[in-house]
Amino acid sequence: MRVEIWSDIACPWCYVGKARFEKALAAFPHRDDVEVVHRSFELDPGRAKDDVQPVLAMLSKKYGMSRAQAQAGEENLGAQAAAEGLDYRTRDRDHGNTFDMHRLLHFAKEQGRQDELIQILYRANFAEERSVFSEGEDRLVALAEEAGLDAAAVRAVLADPSRYADDVRADEREAAELGANGVPFFVLDRKYGVSGAQPAEVFTQALSQAWGARSPLKLIDEGGAEACGPDGCAVPQH
C-alpha cells in the first residue's frame, strides 16, 4: 500500500501531522508493506527566494492578526508539537521560500533518503536556532549531508534551478486535481484522503480501512491452460 503525503517544510501542522501519522503507522500490523512518499506543496509559491521575514510578521500580515494573536498561535503549536515529542521554537523563527528544499527532496527520493531529509529539514526549521532560509546554500548542503546525501551532488542540484523543478510543479498540480487546498494532505492507495494533522487514531482508522479495501485479484481461469511454476513447466501430453 502506498501513502502519499503532500506537505511543505514551512508548514507547522505538516511537522506535527507527520509525527501523528508515524505513530499510527508504527502500530499498524502491515507497516512493513506500506510505502510512504512525500509530495511537494508550497504554501507561499510566489515568495521571492531572498524574501525572508519573521514568522510573526508573516502571520500578522497574511491573516490580519495582531502580534499577540500570532504569538498565541505559536504557543499553541508549540504545545501540540510537545505532545508528540517534538521540539518547537515558539519565538524568533523566520519564513521564506521552500522551492529549493522541495527540489532537494525529489533528489533525495532518487537516492532513497527522502524521509531522512524531510525530517531533518522540519527539525532545522522548527526546532533549531539557525535559519534554513537566510543562511544560504551552505546550510542546505550541510543538512542534506546529515541525511546521507553527497554534498557535491546536492550543490549541483542547487546550482541548476531547472533540476527537479518540473517534479515539484507536477506534485502541486496533482494536489490541486485531488482537491487539496491545504496541507498536510494524505492520500492512501489513491482511494482515501486525510486532510490536516489529524489525531493518530484517525490515521489508524484510515490505514485499516485502506488496507481492507484493497481489491483482491480476480482470476479468470477457463481451466486447462498450461503454465510454469516452481516445479517446472507442464509438458503437453499427446
Side-chain angles (χ1 to χ4, degrees):
M1 185 169 73
R2 170 180 281 201
V3 178
E4 297 162 279
I5 307 173
W6 273 263
S7 59
D8 191 9
I9 300 304
C11 165
W13 289 118
C14 296
Y15 179 47
V16 173
K18 183 176 186 291
R20 292 175 176 172
F21 169 76
E22 288 177 345
K23 183 181 293 184
L25 182 61
F28 186 56
H30 309 287
R31 60 185 177 275
D32 292 338
D33 296 311
V34 177
E35 175 192 13
V36 178
V37 179
H38 297 282
R39 301 291 192 192
S40 298
F41 189 106
E42 294 172 277
L43 291 175
D44 205 352
R47 180 176 290 270
K49 187 174 180 179
D50 60 353
D51 183 6
V52 180
Q53 67 179 139
V55 164
L56 294 187
M58 180 274 293
L59 291 173
S60 296
K61 181 179 180 180
K62 187 171 184 178
Y63 299 107
M65 60 176 63
S66 69
R67 184 182 178 88
Q69 289 173 319
Q71 184 60 58
E74 284 293 283
E75 298 293 341
N76 175 55
L77 275 162
Q80 299 268 1
E84 304 304 328
L86 301 172
D87 293 327
Y88 188 97
R89 294 179 65 234
T90 59
R91 298 178 183 274
D92 302 321
R93 288 194 307 105
D94 58 12
H95 175 81
N97 181 288
T98 58
F99 189 63
D100 281 346
M101 296 181 212
H102 284 294
R103 293 197 301 116
L104 285 180
L105 285 167
H106 278 278
F107 169 65
K109 181 176 181 292
E110 288 185 350
Q111 308 301 312
R113 310 299 294 176
Q114 189 186 46
D115 192 69
E116 289 84 355
L117 181 58
I118 197 170
Q119 191 60 37
I120 286 169
L121 290 173
Y122 278 142
R123 184 204 69 207
N125 185 39
F126 293 111
E128 297 182 359
E129 290 187 13
R130 295 180 61 189
S131 172
V132 295
F133 300 108
S134 62
E135 293 195 24
E137 179 180 297
D138 287 346
R139 175 68 166 144
L140 291 183
V141 171
L143 293 170
E145 274 193 293
E146 186 180 341
L149 298 172
D150 177 74
V154 170
R155 288 189 187 279
V157 172
L158 293 173
D160 183 355
S162 68
R163 294 277 300 277
Y164 303 100
D166 288 345
D167 299 277
V168 176
R169 298 306 183 211
D171 276 0
E172 293 173 337
R173 286 194 300 272
E174 194 165 16
E177 290 167 2
L178 290 169
N181 52 19
V183 285
F185 189 72
F186 302 77
V187 176
L188 293 78
D189 253 7
R190 291 300 171 107
K191 291 186 177 73
Y192 298 92
V194 178
S195 180
Q198 300 284 351
E201 294 78 12
V202 173
F203 290 118
T204 297
Q205 179 183 355
L207 286 166
S208 298
Q209 191 167 348
W211 184 269
R214 296 193 314 157
S215 299
L217 183 68
K218 291 181 173 59
L219 183 63
I220 299 175
D221 184 5
E222 297 297 332
E226 291 82 5
C228 295
D231 298 323
C233 299
V235 177
Q237 302 296 316
H238 297 288

